[in-house]
Amino acid sequence: MNRKEFLRNGMLGGAALTLFSGRALSNEPEHLEPFDAMAPFNMKFSPDFDIFNQGDGASFEEQLEWGYDSGFRAWESTWLSRSTVSEQKEIKRVMDRLGMDFGQFVGTMSFKEVTFAGKDKAIRERVLREVRESVEIAKRMDTKYIHNVLGVADPKLPWDFQMANAIELLKQVAEIYEPHGLVMVMETMNHKINHPGMFLHEIPQAYAMAKAVQSPSVKILFDVYHVQIQEGNLIPTMDYAWDEIGYIQIGDTPGRNEPGTGEINFKNVLQHIQDKGYRGFVGLEHGISGNGEEGDKAALKAYREVDPK
């Protein structure tokens, strides 16, 4: 199953899936046919590999070059840790050549286990091992954002105990990341459509945990798609949690596609983010509603229309 199918089925929550196995960077790529070269976006929009139809069958290098030609100056790759070290270095080499910045990747993730909310020693030790491994990947890619998923809730354990367990483990993660200037971002995932069992599912919950940890290395990933479904009230919710938000991702709802395909007023939301002074990554955590080149053109046009001034 490819990344687009994962997004459509809601199997990955806020994490954008890219499968590196079986995909190699081409030394001499057959360059994708670009659209007319476009000016850079004002906002730091950050696609993932294989979001756009142009990515189907294309090498990572071709996709990055196409993205640059289309106006993107940033990129993220959720499953970067599943690539080889040589692939990671090559992706970074291409991005350096193009002058693009790298955003988030996943350090630890489970959609089946009680990782942060529980007390299983072996599971928690594995989480911390994966967190330590993510430090070297972040250095290799010259990024400070690592997306760690907090796992599922334990229905047999009182909620306050789960919160205490999660805060304790988050503090240990912070101790690993702080010396390196790295930031773990944790994403709330909606219970209503995509992920009814996930432990972290509301912004106030994430905010309370970030405040309890009190570390610059533990922040919130605010995924507009999930927040709209779970809570709504996007701008006031964002404003209240603003000091603990470290990363933003977007996708319209219903459908989880590009802006303009659903109910969210992205022109207002993104302008509000820009006006508040945010100049960080805005991950494109969604699919493309149209097919082929025309679908990509329509999505790029939609982004031009909501790009803040």
Side-chain angles (χ1 to χ4, degrees):
M1 182 178 291
N2 63 28
R3 180 184 181 283
K4 293 176 183 176
E5 289 172 329
F6 265 103
L7 282 171
R8 287 170 184 151
N9 292 337
M11 292 177 66
L12 260 190
L17 176 63
T18 299
L19 295 177
F20 285 86
S21 57
R23 299 288 301 279
L25 285 161
S26 171
N27 292 326
E28 296 181 358
E30 295 181 6
H31 192 70
L32 289 172
E33 200 61 40
F35 303 137
D36 294 337
M38 299 179 181
F41 287 101
N42 295 319
M43 182 155 270
K44 206 170 186 176
F45 292 130
S46 310
D48 199 337
F49 292 107
D50 298 334
I51 281 181
F52 290 96
N53 297 302
Q54 287 274 12
D56 290 345
S59 71
F60 300 133
E61 185 168 9
E62 290 175 302
Q63 292 184 61
L64 289 167
E65 289 176 341
W66 179 88
Y68 183 91
D69 289 341
S70 301
F72 297 108
R73 295 296 181 267
W75 209 264
E76 61 180 40
S77 181
T78 290
W79 286 123
L80 183 72
S81 62
R82 294 189 177 184
S83 68
T84 65
V85 171
S86 61
E87 286 174 327
Q88 293 169 12
K89 288 181 177 179
E90 185 68 1
I91 291 170
K92 184 62 168 60
R93 182 193 66 78
V94 174
M95 294 186 72
D96 285 347
R97 173 171 63 79
L98 295 172
M100 300 174 75
D101 295 328
F102 189 88
Q104 66 86 32
F105 69 95
V106 163
T108 182
M109 172 187 285
S110 177
F111 285 82
K112 296 180 180 180
E113 293 180 306
V114 180
T115 51
F116 280 75
K119 292 286 279 188
D120 185 286
K121 183 178 179 180
I123 290 177
R124 289 164 79 88
E125 287 178 349
R126 190 196 69 228
V127 167
L128 292 174
R129 183 181 70 252
E130 292 172 345
V131 166
R132 292 187 188 95
E133 292 170 352
S134 71
V135 171
E136 295 307 312
I137 299 174
K139 289 180 179 179
R140 193 171 297 127
M141 304 306 294
D142 192 22
T143 185
K144 67 178 183 178
Y145 296 105
I146 303 169
H147 176 194
N148 292 324
V149 177
L150 273 58
V152 300
D154 185 348
K156 300 187 294 294
L157 191 64
W159 184 252
D160 289 344
F161 287 165
Q162 295 185 66
M163 286 288 286
N165 292 339
I167 290 167
E168 179 186 16
L169 191 52
L170 286 170
K171 287 181 177 179
Q172 295 179 57
V173 172
E175 289 176 358
I176 295 171
Y177 284 161
E178 280 181 3
H180 306 282
L182 301 177
V183 180
M184 167 185 167
V185 288
M186 51 182 174
E187 177 184 14
T188 63
M189 298 183 184
N190 78 81
H191 276 188
K192 298 181 179 180
I193 294 178
N194 301 101
H195 302 288
M198 297 303 285
F199 169 65
L200 182 59
H201 61 283
E202 292 184 342
I203 292 297
Q205 177 195 0
Y207 186 75
M209 288 193 292
K211 285 298 183 187
V213 175
Q214 293 185 320
S215 169
S217 288
V218 174
K219 294 294 180 180
I220 298 169
L221 192 165
F222 192 103
D223 188 318
V224 172
Y225 168 81
H226 284 293
V227 178
Q228 173 68 4
I229 292 172
Q230 186 68 30
E231 305 166 64
N233 205 31
L234 284 171
I235 289 177
T237 300
M238 181 182 294
D239 284 348
Y240 199 99
W242 188 253
D243 60 315
E244 297 294 346
I245 293 174
Y247 203 99
I248 294 172
Q249 289 182 327
I250 58 177
D252 214 338
T253 181
R256 202 172 194 179
N257 287 314
E258 71 272 15
T261 57
E263 65 187 3
I264 300 174
N265 187 336
F266 274 104
K267 190 172 183 62
N268 284 357
V269 170
L270 294 177
Q271 189 64 56
H272 183 76
I273 293 169
Q274 180 89 346
D275 292 345
K276 289 182 74 67
Y278 183 79
R279 298 296 182 271
F281 296 92
V282 178
L284 277 58
E285 177 59 15
H286 59 72
I288 300 298
S289 61
N291 297 319
E293 182 175 320
E294 292 306 312
D296 287 349
K297 284 183 177 179
L300 291 172
K301 181 175 183 291
Y303 271 102
R304 290 291 170 185
E305 291 173 349
V306 300
D307 190 25
K309 306 305 180 186

